[in-house]
C-alpha cells in the first residue's frame, strides 16, 4: 500500500518556485500570532476552524474571528481568500468539485514540468506522425493478435487536451471514494451537535468537494506531464475507439534513451493500439475494471480523527496545507475477506490487461524494431519505480500495483501463445470466468496446460435454449418436467 494514499501530492518534478511562493506569508498570517483568548466564542473550535492563521491575534483580537482571519491581509490576498472561500462554500454538486479540479489541472499543465517544458498545441507534422505510427502499429498487431483494430481514429493531444478528454473517466473512478469521505465529514462533529448542525455539515461537505477538487486537479495536472497516451494507467481513460499519443511527452520519454524518435513513437503507438483492441472487442472488460475499483473503494474506511484534524486546521489562504493533511494517510482499506477479494480482483485484472499488452506488443515489435527489448525494459522499470499507473492508483485509492504481477502476467500470456496459439490465447477474453486468477499467476504452467470450459459454446447453447431453437427444443413432451422430477428422485 502507498504511504500517502489519496494524498494527491505533487511529484518531485513539480517546479519548486511555486511552492516557495505559497509557503511565504508576507501578510504575517503565521501560526504564531498569539493564543486564543478566553472570551473567544470560537476558542473551543467546535466547528473546526481553530487552525486559521492569526486567530486570536491581529486586528479585532480574539473576540472577532473574522477580523483575525482576514485583518492582516493586503487587499489582493483578501480578495483571493474570499474568492476561494466562496468557491468552497457555494459548491452544491457531488462529492468532488470537478469544475475546480479541471481549473487546477489546467493551471498545473500551464506551469510546465520541472525540466522547463511548457505545454504547446500540436502541429500538423506531429499529428501526421502520430496517425502514421498508429496505422503502422495496427498493421503489425494484425499478426500478433486475433482481436481486430479497435481504433477508428488516431489523435495527437496536447497535455491540456489530455486533461479535458480524461476527466469523465477520472470522475467515474474517484467519486465512489470521495462519496465516502463526504459522508465522513459530517461525522467529525460530536454526536450531540449533529442534529442541530445541518447547515454546517452542508458547508463542510461543500469544502470537502473543493478539497478533493484541488487534490485531484493537482494529480491529473501533474500526470498530464508524464503520460504518453490515453491508456498509461491500464484503464481506458479517453473516448472509446480513439488511439491517442501526446507528442510532447513522447519526445520527453525518449530523450535520454539513445533510440531514434520514430522507433520510440512507434513502440508507444503499438501499446496504445493494443490497449484499444482489447477494450473495444472485450465488451465486459471496462465495466469489470471500473467495477473492481468501485468495490475496492467501498471497503475503504476513513480515519475521522485525522479528518477532524485536517478540517480544524483549514486555512482558505493556504490550500496547500490541506494537501499536506490529506497526505497523512487517513484512508485505509478494511481488513476483511470482501476487501481482500476486491483488492485481488482489481490487481489481477489490471495485471492481466498490462501483461497481455506487453506480450502482444513484444511479439509484434521484436523482429521489426532493433530497440524493442530496450524499450520494453524501460517501460517495465518505469512502472516499477513509480510510473503513472503506480502513482495514480496509490494516490486515488491507496492501491499500489505490484510490478511482479505484471511480469508474471506477461509470462503467462506468452506461454499461452506457445501452447495454444494466438486464437487460443485471445479466446480467454470471451468470458471473465475464463481468465487466469491471482493463484494462476503464481502457477502459470499449471494454468496453461489445464483444460478449460468453452464458455462461448455454453453461451450459445443457453441462447438457443432461451429462443427455443436449440437441440431438442420444442420436442419435449408435456410430461418431460415430470420425467425430470422423477429422475431427480432416483
Amino acid at each position: 500500500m502507498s504511504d500517502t494514499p489519496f494524498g494527491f501530492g505533487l511529484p518531485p518534478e513539480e517546479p519548486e518556485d511555486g511552492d516557495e511562493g505559497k509557503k511565504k506569508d508576507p501578510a504575517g498570517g503565521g501560526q504564531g500570532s498569539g493564543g486564543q483568548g478566553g472570551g473567544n466564542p470560537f476558542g473551543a473550535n467546535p466547528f473546526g476552524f481553530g487552525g486559521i492563521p492569526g486567530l486570536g491575534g491581529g486586528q479585532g483580537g480574539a473576540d472577532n474571528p473574522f477580523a483575525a482571519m482576514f485583518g492582516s491581509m493586503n487587499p489582493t490576498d483578501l480578495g483571493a481568500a474570499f474568492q476561494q472561500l466562496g468557491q468552497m462554500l457555494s459548491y452544491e454538486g457531488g462529492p468532488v468539485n470537478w469544475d475546480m479540479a479541471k481549473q487546477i489541472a489546467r493551471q498545473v499543465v500551464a506551469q510546465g514540468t520541472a525540466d522547463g517544458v511548457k505545454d504547446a498545441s500540436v502541429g500538423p507534422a506531429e499529428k501526421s506522425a502520430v496517425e502514421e505510427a498508429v496505422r503502422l502499429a495496427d498493421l503489425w498487431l494484425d499478426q500478433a493478435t486475433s482481436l481486430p483494430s479497435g481504433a477508428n481514429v488516431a489523435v495527437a493531444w496536447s497535455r491540456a487536451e489530455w486533461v479535458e478528454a480524461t476527466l469523465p473517466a477520472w470522475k467515474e473512478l474517484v467519486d465512489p471514494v470521495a462519496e465516502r469521505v463526504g459522508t465522513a465529514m459530517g461525522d467529525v462533529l460530536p454526536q450531540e451537535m449533529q442534529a442541530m448542525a445541518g447547515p454546517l455539515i452542508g458547508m463542510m461537505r461543500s469544502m470537502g468537494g473543493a478539497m478533493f477538487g484541488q487534490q485531484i486537479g493537482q494529480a491529473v495536472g501533474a500526470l498530464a506531464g508524464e503520460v504518453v497516451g490515453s491508456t498509461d494507467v491500464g484503464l481506458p481513460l479517453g473516448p472509446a475507439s480513439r488511439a491517442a499519443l501526446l507528442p510532447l511527452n513522447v519526445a520527453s520519454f525518449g530523450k535520454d534513451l539513445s533510440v531514434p524518435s520514430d522507433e520510440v513513437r512507434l513502440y508507444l503507438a503499438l501499446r496504445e493500439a493494443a490497449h484499444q483492441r482489447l477494450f473495444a472487442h472485450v465488451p465486459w472488460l471496462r465495466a469489470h475494471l471500473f467495477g473492481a475499483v468501485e468495490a475496492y473503494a467501498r471497503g475503504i474506511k476513513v480515519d475521522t480523527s485525522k479528518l477532524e484534524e485536517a478540517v480544524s486546521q483549514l486555512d482558505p489562504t493556504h490550500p496547500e496545507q490541506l494537501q499536506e493533511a490529506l497526505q497523512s494517510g487517513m484512508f485505509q482499506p478494511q481488513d476483511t475477506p470482501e476487501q481482500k477479494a476486491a483488492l485481488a480482483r482489481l490487481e489481477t485484472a489490471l495485471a492481466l490487461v498490462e501483461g497481455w499488452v506487453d506480450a502482444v506488443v513484444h511479439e509484434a515489435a521484436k523482429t521489426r524494431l532493433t530497440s524493442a527489448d530496450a524499450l520494453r525494459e524501460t517501460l517495465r522499470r518505469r512502472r516499477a519505480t513509480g510510473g503513472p499507473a503506480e502513482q495514480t492508483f496509490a494516490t486515488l485509492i491507496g492501491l499500489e500495483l505490484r510490478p511482479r504481477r505484471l511480469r508474471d502476467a506477461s509470462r503467462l500470456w506468452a506461454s499461452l501463445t506457445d501452447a495454444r496459439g494466438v486464437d487460443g490465447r485471445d479466446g480467454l477474453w470471451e468470458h471473465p470466468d475464463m481468465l487466469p486468477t491471482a493463484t494462476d499467476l503464481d502457477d502459470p504452467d499449471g494454468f496453461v496446460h489445464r483444460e478449460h470450459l468453452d464458455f462461448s459454446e455454453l453461451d450459445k447453447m443457453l441462447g438457443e435454449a432461451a429462443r427455443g431453437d436449440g437441440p431438442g427444443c420444442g420436442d419435449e413432451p408435456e410430461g418431460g418436467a415430470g420425467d425430470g422430477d422423477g429422475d431427480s428422485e432416483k
Side-chain angles (χ1 to χ4, degrees):
M1 301 298 295
S2 168
D3 293 332
T4 60
F6 224 109
F8 290 109
L10 289 174
E13 59 268 28
E14 186 64 19
E16 296 180 356
D17 53 349
D19 291 338
E20 290 178 1
K22 294 175 184 176
K23 293 175 183 176
K24 294 177 183 178
D25 190 1
Q31 299 282 356
S33 54
Q36 296 176 354
N40 184 356
F42 294 94
N45 297 327
F47 300 146
F49 291 98
I52 297 174
L55 190 59
Q59 299 179 19
D63 293 329
N64 189 341
F66 293 101
M69 181 176 176
F70 298 117
S72 61
M73 294 182 183
N74 62 45
T76 302
D77 292 338
L78 181 61
F82 272 121
Q83 182 180 13
Q84 190 167 40
L85 187 59
Q87 284 182 303
M88 287 184 174
L89 299 180
S90 63
Y91 177 68
E92 297 180 351
V96 177
N97 188 331
W98 287 102
D99 290 337
M100 178 176 288
K102 177 180 175 180
Q103 176 185 355
I104 291 178
R106 293 193 64 118
Q107 290 174 353
V108 172
V109 166
Q111 292 172 2
T113 48
D115 57 5
V117 177
K118 300 281 188 179
D119 193 23
S121 298
V122 179
E126 292 172 317
K127 292 180 180 179
S128 178
V130 168
E131 291 171 356
E132 177 61 21
V134 173
R135 185 194 65 80
L136 184 55
D138 259 337
L139 287 176
W140 290 3
L141 288 171
D142 284 341
Q143 302 175 33
T145 173
S146 62
L147 299 181
S149 175
N152 296 331
V153 61
V155 294
W157 284 340
S158 67
R159 293 167 178 171
E161 287 172 327
W162 182 89
V163 169
E164 295 277 353
T166 61
L167 272 180
W170 290 119
K171 184 177 188 297
E172 190 174 348
L173 284 168
V174 175
D175 272 351
V177 179
E179 182 67 42
R180 293 186 57 79
V181 180
T183 301
M185 291 193 75
D187 298 334
V188 299
L189 294 175
Q191 189 68 35
E192 61 274 11
M193 293 183 61
Q194 291 188 22
M196 53 191 231
L200 179 61
I201 293 177
M203 180 186 72
M204 293 174 66
R205 287 179 177 170
S206 295
M207 287 188 170
M211 289 165 62
F212 276 108
Q214 289 177 343
Q215 302 306 315
I216 294 167
Q218 292 279 3
V220 172
L223 197 59
E226 301 177 1
V227 293
V228 296
S230 69
T231 54
D232 282 36
V233 300
L235 292 173
L237 297 179
S241 303
R242 182 163 297 197
L245 290 180
L246 283 69
L248 190 62
N249 293 354
V250 170
S252 296
F253 172 81
K255 183 175 59 175
D256 300 322
L257 296 182
S258 299
V259 175
S261 60
D262 57 339
E263 287 199 18
V264 173
R265 185 190 308 110
L266 184 50
Y267 192 86
L268 297 177
L270 281 165
R271 290 183 54 83
E272 178 73 8
H275 276 103
Q276 294 297 334
R277 288 184 180 228
L278 196 58
F279 290 121
H281 299 292
V282 183
W284 54 265
L285 182 56
R286 187 184 190 279
H288 180 76
L289 287 168
F290 279 70
V293 173
E294 185 175 356
Y296 182 77
R298 284 197 299 267
I300 291 177
K301 59 183 178 181
V302 180
D303 187 338
T304 55
S305 65
K306 291 185 178 180
L307 179 59
E308 184 174 1
E309 181 182 357
V311 173
S312 70
Q313 296 178 357
L314 180 63
D315 173 9
T317 69
H318 291 277
E320 72 275 5
Q321 292 180 357
L322 297 177
Q323 178 178 313
E324 295 171 359
L326 289 174
Q327 287 178 336
S328 61
M330 66 177 67
F331 306 96
Q332 296 180 357
Q334 293 181 348
D335 189 17
T336 63
E338 294 79 11
Q339 183 68 351
K340 290 179 179 178
L343 175 61
R345 177 188 174 205
L346 178 55
E347 287 185 329
T348 302
L350 287 167
L352 290 174
V353 168
E354 289 295 279
W356 183 88
V357 168
D358 180 79
V360 167
V361 167
H362 183 68
E363 182 65 25
K366 65 182 181 181
T367 60
R368 296 181 172 97
L369 295 178
T370 57
S371 57
D373 289 336
L375 288 169
R376 183 190 201 188
E377 189 59 30
T378 297
L379 283 164
R380 283 181 165 183
R381 291 181 179 180
R382 186 180 188 228
R383 299 293 299 277
T385 56
E390 286 74 31
Q391 290 180 357
T392 301
F393 278 91
T395 52
L396 282 178
I397 52 176
L399 173 67
E400 192 167 297
L401 300 179
R402 293 175 293 174
R404 182 178 65 84
R405 298 283 84 182
L406 302 180
R407 291 179 181 268
D408 289 346
S410 180
R411 284 195 293 268
L412 186 146
W413 288 119
S415 297
L416 282 168
T417 306
D418 294 337
R420 304 185 185 183
V422 170
D423 291 342
R425 177 201 65 199
D426 294 346
L428 293 178
W429 290 106
E430 292 179 359
H431 195 285
D433 289 342
M434 295 176 67
L435 289 178
T437 65
T439 302
D440 293 326
L441 292 180
D442 293 327
D443 181 22
D445 290 337
F447 178 84
V448 167
H449 299 292
R450 189 184 311 152
E451 291 295 328
H452 293 276
L453 292 175
D454 188 342
F455 279 84
S456 62
E457 288 298 321
L458 177 60
D459 289 342
K460 181 180 177 181
M461 292 172 58
L462 291 175
E464 291 174 344
R467 293 190 303 269
D469 57 0
C473 290
D475 298 330
E476 184 73 12
E478 292 183 4
D483 293 341
D485 291 340
D487 291 340
S488 64
E489 292 174 356
K490 292 179 181 179

